[in-house]
Amino acid sequence: MTRRLEINEVSPRDGLQMEPVNVPTQAKIAFIDALSACGFSRIEVTSYTSPKAIPVLADAEAVMAGIKRVAGVKYTALVPNLRGMERAVDGRPDEINLVMSASETHNRANLRMTRAQSLATLQEVIRAAAGLNLPCNVSLSTAFGCPFDGEVDPEQVIGLAGLLADTGAAGITVCDTTGMAYPTQVARLCEQLQRAVPGLPLTIHLHNTRGMGLANALAAFDAGIDRFDGALGGLGGCPYAPGASGNVSTEELVHMFAAMGHDTGVALDALLAVVGSLSGVVGRPVSSQLAQAGPRLRRFAPPAWLAEKFTQ
Amino acid sequence: MTRRLEINEVSPRDGLQMEPVNVPTQAKIAFIDALSACGFSRIEVTSYTSPKAIPVLADAEAVMAGIKRVAGVKYTALVPNLRGMERAVDGRPDEINLVMSASETHNRANLRMTRAQSLATLQEVIRAAAGLNLPCNVSLSTAFGCPFDGEVDPEQVIGLAGLLADTGAAGITVCDTTGMAYPTQVARLCEQLQRAVPGLPLTIHLHNTRGMGLANALAAFDAGIDRFDGALGGLGGCPYAPGASGNVSTEELVHMFAAMGHDTGVALDALLAVVGSLSGVVGRPVSSQLAQAGPRLRRFAPPAWLAEKFTQ
């Protein structure tokens, strides 16, 4: 009954890129090194996007060069295009992650390209990376709904996944970018994708925008998904959905699946210690329900008067 | 596939009793009247506990007398013992709710009695209420874990439910008082209880202490549970679990099940309007992920530059 899950920690990239402060390079490296000790399958370290577009990740090369790699952890980086891939190669990522949206307006707003242009760009990168033996995962944003276009037809997601798999993608991440997913929708799309691209590793990327993060994770798990993105402390978010909270918090994901008896590889105690240091990294209070309450079996002392009142 | 769910709004009792401020009686009445317009199956209006124990609910009689009842809504009140039941009768509650804990130390700390004493007290009330045709629901606290004793043996919960059903309880609510439940545990206990007390209405009462509120609600739903407690804005909590957040938020519960296509009877728009007024009621900022983000299909305007950049 125990299943082995793979947790991909995305906070160094997907979390920090949303923070208003510029975390110093050495602090990023120390943060990622602390994450490396926790037992993740993957850590998304940085992004090789234009420093003009995302200034806080302009130190991608220095961060990739500075981290201490731990055996068993795959260190990945986001790459927007061929030029980004060429920059990334020297940093020896174990995998690169490409991104496009399943909905047209979000793709245009987020990537300044039509979906057709993005697809061509991604296919170009996948083909070039194949020559370098560099695995390419693709994250499909707005797979469960778009803050501009509304509902997204599952066929759009399935169609893109199929085209990208045919081109040579090593995996697909289905992303609920602005927290519009609900459990039965998640289960249905996960089942459809497993049928459409059999054997291709699928990851689910959830946000907790409307409180359903873990409910959707449970639905994906029940539908057979074994790979989950998470961001420590629930960092991240989406600039196009104001008021929205961030990614599903990794510690709550790990805590839930551990309670259910599954093996995430991640040591919760070590992880909660890193959450405790997170406010220092980003310069603002960051927490999660779990970090505040502690693990479920945390024991509290009964009130002092109890012993006196009940003296048997 | 559509299921009819019953939502029981507990914030007027379980929420307000945890607030440090004393909400004026008229404000409570106005709040409950606003809730009455939302479509709940039940509203837990107040508690006939000792005004010394819970001073903020000392106006139980005035609140029950002051609210405008809406047909189809059951107005319930918490009753701790025979004396409380006698106080409650004049207020004509549609149902009373009794409470005891599944774990010994929590029962002693919360109710100042042993479980054996509590059980005898509850059975006395159930028998007296039968003579008045007053239905008694029983809420079993710490059914999924105790902050003092740790894991709670499901047999304790099942045994108590059986004894109370035999005595004449009209329903049982299984409560995750401090948010220790996890999905597979919820599913298992709900299934066991349905077998142990077949035909007896079961309600689940969840907290979001460790982020699993909606995941546990989903697990309970999948296990056949149709009745859910919730508190608007996630009000409430447990005095014995510091740092812990409150009940699962009603609006997030309703939003999730509505997205899944089920009928909760509750109008989400009306409910979110009441959430908007909640900070004014309790005198501190109160919200929920959903109240901040809005319903999942809320549309945002694309950035202004899009139209110019993509001119086809």
Side-chain angles (χ1 to χ4, degrees):
Chain A
M1 292 283 286
T2 296
R3 278 162 62 180
R4 176 69 167 95
L5 308 181
E6 296 185 22
I7 309 291
N8 177 27
E9 175 59 33
V10 302
S11 63
R13 196 280 301 171
D14 194 17
L16 296 189
Q17 77 174 31
M18 285 293 296
E19 293 296 317
V21 296
N22 200 337
V23 178
T25 304
Q26 283 310 313
K28 286 179 188 165
I29 292 169
F31 175 53
I32 294 161
D33 286 347
L35 291 171
S36 285
C38 292
F40 288 108
S41 298
R42 279 177 182 70
I43 299 174
E44 194 172 74
V45 173
T46 187
S47 171
Y48 291 91
T49 33
S50 152
K52 256 192 274 179
I54 307 181
V56 298
L57 298 182
D59 57 2
E61 281 84 353
V63 173
M64 279 300 277
I67 56 172
K68 284 188 206 74
R69 300 200 180 196
V70 168
V73 184
K74 287 187 179 160
Y75 295 88
T76 76
L78 192 140
V79 156
N81 50 32
L82 207 53
R83 191 192 152 102
M85 191 200 76
E86 285 158 1
R87 273 179 68 201
V89 169
D90 279 349
R92 298 177 300 106
D94 295 305
E95 184 173 293
I96 57 176
N97 189 30
L98 317 181
V99 62
M100 70 172 287
S101 308
S103 64
E104 186 64 27
T105 308
H106 189 271
N107 199 80
R108 292 180 183 201
N110 199 39
L111 302 172
R112 301 178 180 236
M113 289 189 275
T114 64
R115 278 182 299 182
Q117 291 168 330
S118 277
L119 180 62
T121 300
L122 266 49
Q123 290 180 312
E124 188 184 21
V125 176
I126 293 169
R127 290 187 187 111
L132 303 166
N133 284 321
L134 182 56
C136 291
N137 185 76
V138 180
S139 288
L140 293 175
S141 303
T142 64
F144 300 96
C146 171
F148 310 123
D149 298 341
E151 296 285 14
V152 169
D153 185 348
E155 291 305 326
Q156 294 290 336
V157 183
I158 294 163
L160 284 170
L163 285 170
L164 292 159
D166 289 347
T167 310
I172 296 286
T173 301
V174 275
C175 302
D176 182 26
T177 309
T178 61
M180 295 173 67
Y182 57 91
T184 42
Q185 181 193 29
V186 168
R188 204 177 309 125
L189 185 57
C190 289
E191 285 158 8
Q192 289 173 318
L193 280 168
Q194 287 171 94
R195 278 196 299 271
V197 286
L200 190 73
L202 294 174
T203 303
I204 191 148
H205 174 104
L206 296 164
H207 281 228
N208 198 36
T209 318
R210 290 165 177 96
M212 287 183 283
L214 293 187
N216 287 331
L218 182 65
F221 173 88
D222 285 341
I225 299 297
D226 291 328
R227 298 169 31 138
F228 295 84
D229 280 3
L232 219 62
L235 283 186
C238 176
Y240 302 114
S245 63
N247 287 277
V248 70
S249 99
T250 312
E251 60 272 27
E252 291 180 356
L253 205 56
V254 165
H255 177 260
M256 179 176 80
F257 285 126
M260 290 169 64
H262 302 293
D263 174 16
T264 63
V266 179
L268 186 64
D269 287 357
L271 195 63
L272 286 174
V274 186
V275 180
S277 72
L278 199 52
S279 300
V281 175
V282 299
R284 64 175 180 95
V286 176
S287 194
S288 58
Q289 303 275 74
L290 181 69
Q292 283 172 61
R296 62 180 290 274
L297 289 177
R298 177 182 174 191
R299 291 283 188 97
F300 295 86
W305 56 261
L306 258 201
E308 204 172 326
K309 183 167 169 68
F310 298 94
T311 45
Q312 347 81 325
Chain B
M1 291 284 286
T2 295
R3 278 162 61 182
R4 175 69 168 96
L5 307 180
E6 295 185 23
I7 309 291
N8 176 28
E9 175 59 33
V10 302
S11 62
R13 197 280 301 172
D14 195 17
L16 295 188
Q17 76 174 30
M18 285 294 295
E19 293 296 317
V21 296
N22 200 338
V23 178
T25 304
Q26 283 311 313
K28 285 179 188 166
I29 292 170
F31 174 53
I32 294 162
D33 286 347
L35 291 170
S36 285
C38 293
F40 289 108
S41 298
R42 277 178 184 70
I43 299 174
E44 194 171 75
V45 173
T46 187
S47 170
Y48 291 91
T49 34
S50 152
K52 256 193 273 179
I54 308 181
V56 298
L57 298 183
D59 57 2
E61 281 84 353
V63 174
M64 279 300 277
I67 57 171
K68 285 189 206 73
R69 301 200 181 197
V70 169
V73 184
K74 287 187 177 159
Y75 296 88
T76 76
L78 192 139
V79 155
N81 50 31
L82 206 52
R83 191 191 152 102
M85 191 200 76
E86 286 159 2
R87 274 178 68 201
V89 169
D90 278 351
R92 297 178 301 106
D94 296 305
E95 184 174 291
I96 57 175
N97 188 31
L98 318 180
V99 63
M100 69 172 287
S101 308
S103 64
E104 187 64 28
T105 308
H106 189 270
N107 199 79
R108 293 180 182 202
N110 198 38
L111 302 173
R112 300 178 180 237
M113 288 189 275
T114 65
R115 279 181 299 182
Q117 290 168 328
S118 278
L119 180 62
T121 299
L122 267 47
Q123 290 179 312
E124 188 183 22
V125 177
I126 293 168
R127 290 185 188 115
L132 303 166
N133 284 321
L134 182 56
C136 291
N137 185 76
V138 180
S139 288
L140 293 175
S141 303
T142 62
F144 300 96
C146 172
F148 310 123
D149 298 340
E151 295 285 13
V152 169
D153 184 348
E155 291 304 326
Q156 294 290 337
V157 184
I158 295 162
L160 284 170
L163 285 170
L164 292 159
D166 289 346
T167 310
I172 295 286
T173 302
V174 275
C175 303
D176 182 27
T177 309
T178 61
M180 295 172 66
Y182 56 92
T184 42
Q185 180 194 30
V186 168
R188 204 177 308 125
L189 185 57
C190 289
E191 285 158 6
Q192 288 173 318
L193 280 169
Q194 287 170 95
R195 277 196 300 270
V197 286
L200 190 73
L202 295 173
T203 303
I204 192 149
H205 174 104
L206 296 164
H207 280 228
N208 198 35
T209 319
R210 291 164 177 96
M212 286 184 283
L214 293 187
N216 287 332
L218 183 65
F221 173 87
D222 285 341
I225 299 298
D226 291 328
R227 296 167 35 137
F228 296 83
D229 280 3
L232 219 63
L235 284 186
C238 176
Y240 303 114
S245 64
N247 287 279
V248 70
S249 99
T250 312
E251 61 272 28
E252 290 179 358
L253 206 55
V254 165
H255 178 261
M256 180 176 79
F257 286 126
M260 290 168 64
H262 303 293
D263 173 16
T264 64
V266 179
L268 186 64
D269 288 356
L271 195 63
L272 287 174
V274 186
V275 181
S277 71
L278 199 52
S279 300
V281 176
V282 299
R284 65 176 181 93
V286 176
S287 195
S288 59
Q289 304 274 76
L290 180 68
Q292 284 172 60
R296 62 180 290 274
L297 289 178
R298 177 182 175 191
R299 291 285 186 96
F300 295 86
W305 55 261
L306 258 201
E308 202 173 327
K309 182 166 169 70
F310 297 94
T311 47
Q312 349 81 323

